[in-house]
Amino acid sequence: MSDNQSWNSSGSEEDVEPRDESGHLIGIVDLSGVLSKWTNYIHGWQDRWVVLKNNTLSYYKSQDETEYGCRGSLCLSKAVITPHEFDECRLDITVNDSVWYLRAADPEHRHQWIDSVELHRSIKEGRREKGGIQGTIFISPPLADSGYGSESSLRRHGSMLSLTSATSGFSATSTSSFKKGHSLKEKLAEMETFRDILCRQVDTLQKYFDGCSDAVSKDELQRDKIVEDDEDDFPNTRTDGEFLHNNNGSKEKLFQALSPKGIDFKGEAITFKATTAGILATLSHCIDLMVKREDSWQKRLDKEMEKRRRIEEGYKSALNELKIKSHFGGPDYEEGPNSLINEDEFFDAVEAALDRQDKIEEQSHTEKTRMQRSSPVPPGDVYSTIGTHRFANKVEEMVQNHMTYSLQDVGGDANWQLVVEEGEMKVYRREVEENGIVLDPLKATHSVKGVTGHEVCHYFWDTAYRNDWETTIENFNVVENLSENAAIVYQTHKRVWPASQRDVLYLSAMRKIMANNENDPDTWLVCNFSVDHDDAQPSNKCVRAKINIGMICQTLVSPPEGDKEISRDNIMCKITYVANVNPGGWAPASVLRAVAKREYPKFLKRFTSYVQEKTAGKPILF
């Protein structure tokens, strides 16, 4: 068997998975059904048709669209299934950097999905482990053939051939050792060993040359003696000057081998020793230099290792931040009792979303104001009656509360804080919290020239104009018309991530309150307050907010000069706007207060400007 002989041991049979006639894996139950899947921070949770089949999880927009192909799929071989810690209906499935957030209808369905997914994975893993295991077995060459000349062999073969063999063995061994990753200290130790061997070899060669020199001297003396004794009896002379001893052929050969003319054996031996001594001295000097350089290299290596460690730490940190950002729009970072986002990040995200909405609204504002909509205005006495619908008494109660409390001056009340003052507009707030939820009552006063209280309340109450000035509403619909001046309205507001989406169901009524004194102006009022209705039940997709809002308007008229008719230059509307909102949910109090301080003044300015634009050039509606 050769030194580099090897055997390969591998499973040659393929991992063939047993399947039935329809192609399904035998022993695994497929599962399909409706799960809510987190799509993005705009649309949130959406129902999807999810199919678990052949160790693959796929989803479709609906069951009816399965024939058009799936919208996404995950191979479950390396998937990590994580039941949510707080949400009993939620499970997260992670494959590398891809995460699917799923919610079942109830905890039992979640357990069923988790068990089915784990069953697919476990059976797949079990079949994979039964496959062949590939490996390679190597037999190392014998140490005797490694190329190292042993010390005994060098001593036995005191010849130049033995020295050459050792040198070639050293070269091969050195290269092999470096390939195996030996350290510099180990290589220096090898060089020290070979230096010792070389020293012993030089000594052996020196002894050999000394012996040769002595043997030559003795042979010369003996030859001279033999020649003198035999010179008279058996002289033989050759042309080349060599003398032969006829009675001893071996001695003649020895003379020929050891007596070349012109060679100084003693001098050659001294020269060889001096040369090898120089080589050894140079080798020792190189070893010293390498030892010194090793310290320098070690310091450089330590610096590089430290640099690499810092780079790796920075890379891991950046990778973690990237993963956080990539999942920042996930359900774990939205508003909730266990949200991973802090108040500062929450506020920054909400503010950025509101800024984007403002830019979009600015672009579409001009188009909205150009659209001409007309809605019939009922006669004024319609708004003066209480009404006969089932909420009539509740409406009357709300109207009287607004007339009694909402019109009171709050300028000297220490409980009310002036948070915004811009020209004629002032916004006050009174901080109130209940069970950690912000319930701050808000009151704003404003004076708008060129419009009447009737016109302001008309555009505020009539849903035909709602989308023209209200920028926070995603959609709305009238659930029930109670009378000509009262209706129940359901509306959902645009999602401002990471806050949850809000919806509200409220009764909106418009009333005219006649003044008791002919010198006092009449009062127009729109009150919106939350109610319940069977056709608009709360859902888990939105947080239901509770509201109690009043828009109270009075028209002030300054007499025109002379016999001129009253124009819009002679009228001004005094507005009092009150809002009591329970937003529900888990939004931080500081964020809610900051958003209210920012959005309410913008709403009043935007709405009153809209009314001025819509009424300009039209007859005055008192």
Side-chain angles (χ1 to χ4, degrees), residues 47-120:
D47 290 341
R48 295 290 183 261
W49 182 259
V50 182
V51 177
L52 175 60
K53 180 179 179 181
N54 294 343
N55 199 40
T56 301
L57 193 67
S58 308
Y59 80 91
Y60 308 80
K61 187 174 182 180
S62 64
Q63 186 177 4
D64 297 333
E65 295 189 4
T66 54
E67 60 183 5
Y68 301 117
C70 67
R71 293 199 166 198
S73 62
L74 287 177
C75 179
L76 300 177
S77 299
K78 297 184 180 180
V80 178
I81 298 91
T82 308
H84 198 265
E85 183 178 1
F86 305 106
D87 191 343
E88 295 181 350
C89 298
R90 177 178 151 190
L91 64 150
D92 301 344
I93 301 180
T94 305
V95 178
N96 297 328
D97 294 334
S98 178
V99 183
W100 282 15
Y101 305 102
L102 303 173
R103 292 188 83 255
D106 49 56
E108 289 74 14
H109 280 87
R110 184 184 77 164
H111 292 313
Q112 181 183 4
W113 277 97
I114 292 176
D115 293 341
S116 298
V117 171
E118 291 291 355
L119 180 61
H120 273 249

Side-chain angles (χ1 to χ4, degrees), residues 156-180:
R156 284 199 305 269
H157 304 288
S159 63
M160 204 62 190
L161 179 62
S162 175
L163 182 62
T164 305
S165 300
T167 305
S168 61
F170 168 76
S171 177
T173 305
S174 176
T175 305
S176 174
S177 299
F178 273 119
K179 288 182 179 179
K180 294 178 182 178

